[in-house]
Amino acid sequence: MAGGDRISDWAACGVVPLTGHQDGPPLIPPGHAATRARELAEYLGLDVDGAALLAERAAFTGRRRNGPVSVGGSCRLLPTADGWAAVSCARPDDPALLAALIGRELDGDVWPAVAEWLRAHPGAELAERSTLLGAAATSVASAKPCAAVHGFADATRFLGAPRSPDGLLVVDFSALWAGPLCAHLLGLAGARVVKVETPDRPDGARRGTAEFYRLLHAGHRSVVADPTEPDGRRFLHALVAAADVVIEGSRPRALAAWGLSPAATDATWISITAAGRSCNRIGFGDDVAAGAGLVALDPDRAGPVFVGDAIADPLAGLTAAAAALGALPGSLVEVSMHDVVAATLDVAEPSLVARSGLAMPRAREPHGAAPNSGADTAAVRRELRC
């Protein structure tokens, strides 16, 4: 890949203004994730700037670069005894998980105590403890993929031309960003999308930026079912049986506990995880990207800084959408967010200071309304006769 293509794609996509210290210059990241994102959208045949999707959320939130603190504010890059770590504290339960990770009670601001513990412990210990506890934390550039890449981390290795998405039924069990972006792109291409939530676990993104949520879910249908009840489980089984594509964005055991698995359907099953289905690791877009090695270095300051805004999420969502149309029907496709990012870092380059000619993050206009949670449950039940 020509260096000029890599740099021009980064400069045009909106990620560079989100990369670097708040009081320093924007930085051009290493690797070619922007070029990969552009290629994936072209593969899908969409009139969408794939590279611009990498920075789109920031156009809605208005947030900007903040060096070792993520654009969204919930993840930090901190030194360990032998390197650096990316630690997220985004969920309501995360302070308690981080307290268990470092073995002490935390009251108020969790970061000073976490930073102190990390300075005295190596990255390998952090990775082991965070995986055991379900905390989203990893050492930078030393996390190893826990499952093989199944060809879909590389946009040049798809199984032929994509199938037509027209009329395909996509059942989306995912939440937050990567999986919903996959469903959104398939919907734009002509698929029918049904979003599934449970009564006790609605999509956490509903509490986020309303217009961004509307962008990703406009035109979809929403159902709510309780898999702990026989009737709800029957409904979910009927929905999966009718699906052409199933998207899951959690650890596989979650759906397996409901009796739902790739083996029970002829649908193309897209499994988006932090580091593969065989790995129990928890991760979000910022810590996964940093763990895969996608960080930038300011030539005038020590330590890494985040690249863009949770960039592993939109890159995985694009990859998953391409996989849904490029894989053989009935396939199980693992989309490891870690592997997707790592595949864009096949050459090592220093971070370059960007001086001019940079595109800012930009947002597409949402078309239509996002359905309220469960708004279409009754109608979909009637259609499935269950």
Side-chain angles (χ1 to χ4, degrees):
M1 177 176 299
D5 291 343
R6 177 186 80 83
I7 292 173
S8 61
D9 282 333
W10 277 125
C13 75
V15 166
V16 177
L18 302 176
T19 304
H21 290 278
Q22 191 175 54
D23 59 350
L27 303 174
I28 295 175
H32 52 269
T35 301
R36 176 63 46 78
R38 172 175 58 79
E39 293 170 345
L40 287 165
E42 291 170 356
Y43 174 84
L44 289 165
L46 296 174
D47 185 21
V48 172
D49 184 340
L53 298 183
L54 300 182
E56 186 169 52
R57 186 174 70 170
F60 285 93
T61 64
R63 300 193 178 202
R64 293 295 179 261
R65 65 180 181 272
N66 200 16
V69 178
S70 65
V71 170
S74 62
C75 189
R76 298 197 180 189
L77 292 167
L78 299 165
T80 65
D82 59 354
W84 289 83
V87 180
S88 288
C89 187
R91 300 166 295 179
D93 293 340
D94 280 343
L97 289 175
L98 293 178
L101 188 146
I102 67 173
R104 59 181 284 190
E105 292 186 5
L106 298 177
D107 185 19
D109 186 1
V110 303
W111 293 114
V114 170
E116 179 185 1
W117 186 90
L118 287 170
R119 285 193 295 268
H121 294 80
E125 183 178 352
L126 169 68
E128 180 180 359
R129 291 175 66 87
S130 62
T131 299
L132 179 66
L133 292 167
T138 184
S139 54
V140 171
S142 64
K144 303 298 183 184
C146 299
V149 180
H150 289 243
F152 293 101
D154 184 341
T156 66
R157 297 173 60 194
F158 288 100
L159 303 177
R163 61 173 161 165
S164 171
D166 289 341
L168 294 181
L169 176 60
V170 176
V171 176
D172 178 20
F173 286 96
S174 70
L176 301 178
W177 192 357
L181 176 61
C182 171
H184 164 70
L185 294 172
L186 295 176
L188 289 182
R192 299 171 294 138
V193 179
V194 175
K195 181 178 183 65
V196 181
E197 297 168 282
T198 61
D200 60 339
R201 292 199 69 178
D203 186 345
R206 289 185 179 275
R207 301 189 300 271
T209 305
E211 283 298 279
F212 184 60
Y213 186 88
R214 183 161 76 93
L215 173 75
L216 295 186
H217 295 86
H220 299 179
R221 305 172 87 186
S222 171
V223 303
V224 170
D226 187 347
T228 66
E229 298 289 338
D231 183 61
R233 190 168 295 198
R234 281 193 298 271
F235 176 37
L236 292 177
H237 279 251
L239 191 56
V240 168
D244 298 291
V245 176
V246 174
I247 304 168
E248 66 169 348
S250 58
R251 286 177 286 185
R253 69 187 187 194
L255 292 189
W258 307 344
L260 299 171
S261 72
T265 176
D266 293 327
T268 301
W269 193 286
I270 306 298
S271 180
I272 304 173
T273 61
R277 289 173 65 83
S278 63
C279 181
N280 203 35
R281 182 178 153 207
I282 292 291
F284 300 106
D286 288 304
D287 57 85
V288 168
L294 184 54
V295 292
L297 299 173
D298 189 321
D300 297 324
R301 304 195 194 186
V305 297
F306 285 104
V307 169
D309 175 25
I311 199 169
D313 274 305
L315 190 61
L318 276 157
T319 303
L325 300 185
L328 295 174
S331 300
L332 164 62
V333 181
E334 298 185 34
V335 179
S336 157
M337 293 169 64
H338 176 282
D339 290 355
V340 164
V341 174
T344 69
L345 297 170
D346 52 1
V347 290
E349 305 108 343
S351 301
L352 303 174
V353 174
R355 301 298 183 187
S356 61
L358 299 178
M360 296 298 292
R362 51 197 181 275
R364 293 169 294 145
E365 180 70 26
H367 295 290
N372 292 328
S373 186
D376 304 291
T377 303
V380 174
R381 277 183 174 276
R382 287 194 298 270
E383 293 169 12
L384 295 174
R385 297 181 180 178
C386 64

